[in-house]
DNA sequence: AAATAGGAAGACT
DNA sequence: AGTCTTCCTATTT
């Protein structure tokens, strides 16, 4: 079993190190990156315990060290942990500063120990460690490159954008299933994260923890890595690394996906990103997936056709993720983009969003929609619609119902009373509603 | 006047 | 079948 670079290496939380710090440029730091991760953040570099048998002459890669070559490779190992990518071990060792080897019993041990130490002391860079900025940047560059490759692979497998803010609700689900699978997080209820990427990115760490008390931190940390990675790439400082291409990898993507899906037959089905399958290969309605314990959490699966071309070769799974976010739903862009966004890209599964989910999306973006809907008491899931006309208009746009108004919207809300999704507050106030547990989480 | 409440029927998936 | 959407009348704020 491969060992991931786990909390023992990049345990960001206990060390107060930040992923964004790895960029070495504070200008690229995301606001959310200031959170100290208390849980492990995986970077795909094998631990010292992994069976390195590198022969210097062959300049093996990290990938090589954990994956048998040829068709006989053990796919289950690939699936049970994030795939390893070809970063030459010797290169990493060569680029490590000398300080990294002191006090360790073997080279790899020194690498991990030193890198951990480096991460620990990043915030006190000029402190006792006294690593040169150049050396530090070498290591952070390697780490970020590995992270970036992981993200590229996941994007290609899932057919989603690198940028989480581009994700539709279906993309968010896909990312969740992938992450849950990769990091074996059995206690995640995906339905608690039924939102698009913009809404997801606006969630705080506390929001994650509320939705997933056990693994929320890890998920939040993972999302933050993605956000940071895309920020780095956008800022153009991504270490002259070309995007990872599946065809360049020696990773057996087909095998990976077959294992991932648990259904070889799915390869022959038409490509469909939303055709999620459960652990026995049954498609679930509306792409519904659940990673909760007892429902096949550890085996969250996808239709492996999602990235298969007609010849069984992995291909990029469409660019349809182009626009399903709410972030441009402000007053100015509503008009300019209306036809394209709501007549076109909103079709299909994305129109399945429920009103209560939509309202939560708006509520999760107070900077954008705080003037029309806001929480009155977040802990009790009490919110107020401040601008009923605008909220109704936004809802109508999302559902492609131009005639939507607050009268109709409120009728839908009132249906929720019977369903136990919403309720009126104790002291009835106009335009004030309350989510029933757990819908307000 | 605007919001609330809920019945009824139809659309849509 | 479930979730709205649409239309409606009556009531409350």
């Amino acid at each position: 079993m491969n060992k991931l670079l786990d909390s023992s290496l990049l345990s960001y939380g206990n060390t107060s190190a930040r992923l964004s710090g790895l960029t070495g440029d504070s200008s690229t730091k995301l606001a959310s990156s200031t959170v100290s991760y208390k849980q492990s953040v995986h970077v795909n570099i094998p631990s010292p315990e992994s069976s390195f048998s590198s022969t210097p002459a062959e300049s093996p890669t990290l990938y090589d060290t954990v994956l048998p070559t040829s068709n006989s490779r053990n796919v289950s190992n690939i699936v049970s942990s994030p795939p390893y990518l070809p970063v030459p071990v010797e290169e990493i060792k060569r680029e490590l500063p000398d300080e990294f080897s002191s006090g360790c019993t073997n080279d790899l041990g020194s690498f991990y120990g030193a890198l951990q130490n480096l991460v620990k002391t990043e915030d006190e860079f000029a402190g006792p460690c006294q690593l040169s900025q150049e050396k530090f940047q070498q290591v952070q560059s390697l780490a970020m490159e590995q992270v970036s490759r992981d993200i590229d692979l996941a994007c290609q497998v899932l057919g989603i954008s690198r940028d989480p803010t581009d994700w539709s609700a279906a993309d968010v689900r896909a990312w969740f299933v992938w992450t849950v699978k990769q990091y074996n997080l059995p206690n995640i209820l995906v339905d608690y994260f039924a939102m698009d990427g913009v809404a997801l990115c606006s969630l705080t760490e506390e929001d994650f923890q509320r939705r997933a008390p056990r693994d929320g931190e890890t998920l939040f940390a993972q999302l933050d890595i993605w956000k940071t990675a895309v920020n780095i790439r956008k800022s153009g400082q991504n270490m002259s690394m070309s995007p990872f291409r599946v065809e360049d990898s020696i990773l057996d993507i087909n095998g990976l996906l077959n294992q991932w899906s648990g259904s070889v037959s799915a390869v022959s089905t038409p490509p469909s990103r939303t055709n999620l399958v459960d652990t026995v290969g049954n498609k679930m309605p509306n792409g519904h997936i659940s990673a909760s314990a007892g429902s096949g959490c550890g085996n969250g699966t996808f239709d492996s056709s999602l990235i298969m071309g007609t010849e069984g070769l992995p291909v990029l799974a469409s660019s349809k993720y182009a626009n399903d976010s709410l972030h441009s739903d402000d007053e100015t862009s509503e008009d300019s983009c209306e036809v394209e966004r709501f007549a076109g890209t909103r079709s299909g599964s994305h129109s399945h969003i429920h009103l209560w989910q939509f309202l939560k999306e708006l509520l999760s973006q107070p900077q954008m929609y705080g003037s029309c809907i806001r929480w009155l008491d977040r802990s009790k899931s009490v919110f107020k619609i401040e601008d009923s006309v605008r909220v109704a208009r936004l809802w109508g746009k999302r559902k492609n119902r131009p005639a939507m108004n607050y009268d109709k919207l409120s009728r839908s809300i009132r249906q929720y009373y019977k369903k136990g999704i919403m309720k009126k507050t104790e002291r009835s106030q106009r335009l004030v509603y309350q989510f029933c547990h757990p819908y307000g989480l």
Side-chain angles (χ1 to χ4, degrees), chain A residues 21-24 91-101 111 114-115 118-119 121-122 125 129-144:
Chain A
L22 291 170
T23 68
E91 178 183 325
I92 288 179
K93 290 161 70 175
R94 188 169 54 249
E95 296 196 15
L96 286 172
D98 293 337
E99 295 91 324
F100 280 14
S101 59
F111 168 63
L115 185 52
L118 174 68
V119 172
T121 56
E122 181 263 317
F125 197 77
C129 189
Q130 293 294 328
L131 295 172
S132 72
Q133 185 152 359
E134 181 186 4
K135 299 292 186 185
F136 173 72
Q137 287 178 345
Q138 287 175 355
V139 177
Q140 69 186 202
S141 174
L142 286 167
M144 283 308 301

Side-chain angles (χ1 to χ4, degrees), chain A residues 142-167:
Chain A
L142 286 167
M144 283 308 301
E145 180 172 336
Q146 194 66 30
V147 168
S148 191
R149 287 175 185 275
D150 287 345
I151 290 174
D152 276 329
L153 174 70
C155 287
Q156 294 207 15
V157 170
L158 302 177
I160 63 178
S161 166
R162 275 182 69 96
D163 186 351
T165 60
D166 286 338
W167 294 348

Side-chain angles (χ1 to χ4, degrees), chain A residues 61-112:
Chain A
T61 67
L62 292 178
Y63 176 82
D64 292 333
T65 63
V66 294
L67 283 180
T69 56
S70 85
N71 296 333
S72 65
R73 66 178 58 123
N74 185 344
V75 179
S76 64
N77 278 351
I78 306 173
V79 174
S80 59
S81 59
Y84 291 81
L85 299 160
V87 176
V89 171
E90 296 305 316
E91 178 183 325
I92 288 179
K93 290 161 70 175
R94 188 169 54 249
E95 296 196 15
L96 286 172
D98 293 337
E99 295 91 324
F100 280 14
S101 59
S102 62
C104 296
T105 55
N106 58 66
D107 289 342
L108 289 170
S110 69
F111 168 63
Y112 293 104

Side-chain angles (χ1 to χ4, degrees), chain A residues 241-285:
Chain A
M241 191 194 77
S242 60
F244 171 72
R245 291 182 298 164
V246 171
E247 57 270 29
D248 288 344
S249 174
I250 58 175
L251 179 66
D252 184 350
I253 295 293
N254 286 351
L256 167 64
L257 286 165
N258 286 339
Q259 179 73 20
W260 179 250
S261 69
S263 171
V264 175
S265 61
V267 174
S268 61
T269 60
S272 170
R273 291 183 54 256
T274 56
N275 281 346
L276 302 177
V277 292
D278 66 17
T279 52
V280 291
N282 297 321
K283 289 181 181 175
M284 305 180 79

Side-chain angles (χ1 to χ4, degrees), chain A residues 349-368:
Chain A
S349 62
H350 300 138
S351 63
H352 286 158
I353 187 171
H354 292 187
L355 175 58
W356 65 270
Q357 293 173 322
F358 175 78
L359 294 174
K360 285 183 64 183
E361 281 188 8
L362 300 186
L363 285 162
S364 69
Q365 300 166 83
Q367 73 284 2
M368 196 88 62

